[in-house]
Amino acid sequence: MAQQQGMAALAAEKGVLFGSTLTRGQADESAEMRRLARQEMGAIVPGFEFKWPTLRPGPWEFDFSGAEAMLRLAEEQGQKTRGHALVWHGALPGWFGDGPADAMGMRTLLRHHIDTVARRYAGRIHSWDVVNEPVEPWDGRQDGLRDSPFLRSMGTDYIDLSFRWAAEADPQARLVLNEYGVEMATAEQEARRTALLRLVEGMLRRRVPLHAIGIQAHLAAARQHEFEAEVLRRFIRRIAALGLDCYITELDVTDRGLPPDIATRDAAVAHTYRVFLDAALAEPSVKAVILWGISDRYTWMNDSRFARREDGLPTRPHPFDADFRPKPAWDAIREAFRAASAR
Ligand code: XIL
């Protein structure tokens, strides 16, 4: 049988960068995973290796070994690397605690981190998620921004400054503001979209170097009815009208809430990928699609209390199963790229 074209190759034909997250542990442990990474990823997003807990074992220490290993792997295979993430409240080492309470202390710590990491890899990173998940209307602020340790110490300035420091340290990388929960047609997500657009408009007015918005897109097949293509497309067009690209940065589809039957689950998950990608790819400003996992063997979803199945069965959210065999989702994603127009 002739070798079938993989997802990354089909995406590349349409001018879309395609890839997935991968960790050093997965690549070291599994030859099958390394094969999938070679065949199916045009870009790799290290899952842990660029996050603070890995890079910053202590307040005065850096450990670059994981980041180096992942960059080397991608470069040997001619793949791009996305850096994830310079500033994220959700992955901080224990020693960080709530961080320095005073603005100057937090500013010094953040600047030192961004400067050291982004400068070290300048020219080798396709794009940096500079700030991850800065918006959270549920936190109850007027501006809809997240009440994170960074904001508590530095005020809302931490966002602009992080982007300015990243641009100084690596003028070539595309700088991305990455956000979750902005793709569905619910009131909650509409509030998050509104807050995000307001934030972005302000940043651009203040001439902050920002190039793309990352839409995480952690989807649930059982909530497919809450998706409306036009709502997502309108949001992407509003971002494009501001001069920014969109990247789909963490796409996966949990089967939480679906019956246990595997064929039923796999079909619903595949359908969800297809409908979502058809909508996103219809917008020419969508320049990258990154999955948050490629094989069910290694999925963060079984550990997430929001994504794991309530019946305790392992989730089947990715295009390859736990034995690295292609699933209906693999075909659905490839079909979406085949159907997309070139950008
Ligand atoms: C997840 C990783 O995949 C897990 O292995 C880890 O335990 C927690 O973080 N949004 C993000 C990602 O931006 O960094 C998260 O990744 C998933 C949610």
Side-chain angles (χ1 to χ4, degrees):
M1 194 178 81
Q3 180 132 29
Q4 289 177 294
Q5 259 186 310
M7 299 180 288
L10 291 167
E13 284 180 1
K14 302 301 167 70
V16 178
L17 179 65
F18 180 86
S20 173
T21 189
L22 178 74
T23 71
R24 188 186 191 183
Q26 294 160 9
D28 284 350
E29 179 180 288
S30 162
E32 282 291 280
M33 194 62 183
R34 289 195 296 280
R35 178 184 63 81
L36 275 191
R38 257 194 326 276
Q39 287 175 6
E40 297 283 352
M41 301 181 197
I44 291 177
V45 187
F48 297 131
E49 292 75 7
F50 285 86
K51 288 175 176 168
W52 280 63
T54 310
L55 282 175
R56 305 299 301 276
W60 312 111
E61 290 161 68
F62 284 86
D63 178 353
F64 294 110
S65 54
E68 305 282 352
M70 294 305 285
L71 262 172
R72 228 178 302 120
L73 178 75
E75 286 172 353
E76 277 166 16
Q77 303 181 149
Q79 295 157 318
K80 296 193 165 30
T81 299
R82 297 197 67 247
H84 174 79
L86 289 171
V87 182
W88 186 32
H89 71 283
L92 291 167
W95 60 260
F96 191 97
D98 294 326
D102 63 301
M104 210 48 198
M106 183 66 90
R107 190 184 160 115
T108 305
L109 182 61
L110 269 193
R111 179 165 200 173
H112 179 56
H113 181 83
I114 292 172
D115 197 65
T116 306
V117 176
R119 200 173 295 278
R120 184 180 180 98
Y121 299 120
R124 298 168 71 187
I125 300 289
H126 166 271
S127 47
W128 267 113
D129 289 336
V130 178
V131 182
N132 194 22
E133 303 179 352
V135 169
E136 189 50 275
W138 282 5
D139 283 356
R141 292 173 51 97
Q142 270 286 346
D143 56 13
L145 295 183
R146 179 186 294 279
D147 183 31
S148 69
F150 317 112
L151 184 139
R152 281 196 291 277
S153 300
M154 283 176 69
T156 58
D157 256 11
Y158 86 92
I159 302 173
D160 287 11
L161 286 170
S162 296
F163 277 85
R164 294 194 198 283
W165 296 329
E168 269 174 44
D170 183 352
Q172 274 162 271
R174 314 294 291 159
L175 304 183
V176 181
L177 194 158
N178 198 39
E179 192 53 81
Y180 90 103
V182 290
E183 54 284 323
M184 304 299 282
T186 61
E188 176 207 328
Q189 300 213 359
E190 182 63 25
R192 207 172 282 114
R193 282 189 288 272
T194 302
L196 178 62
L197 283 168
R198 207 173 298 143
L199 167 65
V200 169
E201 283 163 3
M203 290 172 74
L204 295 176
R205 256 196 320 273
R206 298 186 294 275
R207 302 199 165 281
V208 174
L210 164 66
H211 308 118
I213 299 303
I215 296 177
Q216 290 188 6
H218 294 292
L219 309 179
R223 299 176 63 182
Q224 175 66 28
H225 59 282
E226 293 176 346
F227 181 73
E228 278 174 40
E230 192 45 37
V231 170
L232 176 68
R233 292 187 58 181
R234 202 181 314 129
F235 176 57
I236 295 173
R237 280 199 298 271
R238 286 192 63 178
I239 293 165
L242 299 172
L244 304 182
D245 285 339
C246 274
Y247 300 160
I248 307 303
T249 48
E250 305 185 15
L251 179 59
D252 51 20
V253 181
T254 181
D255 56 9
R256 177 191 182 94
L258 297 179
D261 174 66
I262 285 182
T264 306
R265 287 198 264 160
D266 285 2
V269 165
H271 178 71
T272 301
Y273 274 108
R274 180 72 203 265
V275 169
F276 178 82
L277 283 175
D278 280 351
L281 292 169
E283 294 301 327
S285 65
V286 173
K287 301 287 175 55
V289 173
I290 307 292
L291 306 184
W292 210 248
I294 199 153
S295 156
D296 297 337
R297 163 90 46 138
Y298 300 112
T299 182
W300 72 293
M301 290 195 144
N302 292 332
D303 306 317
S304 156
R305 74 194 152 94
F306 302 108
R308 70 170 168 237
R309 287 182 62 87
E310 281 143 324
D311 60 13
L313 287 173
T315 57
R316 299 177 61 84
H318 302 306
F320 291 84
D321 73 10
D323 296 316
F324 307 100
R325 289 177 305 223
K327 294 160 56 190
W330 185 64
D331 291 312
I333 294 167
R334 291 161 67 241
E335 282 306 313
F337 286 123
R338 279 213 187 87
S341 42
R343 49 222 64 210

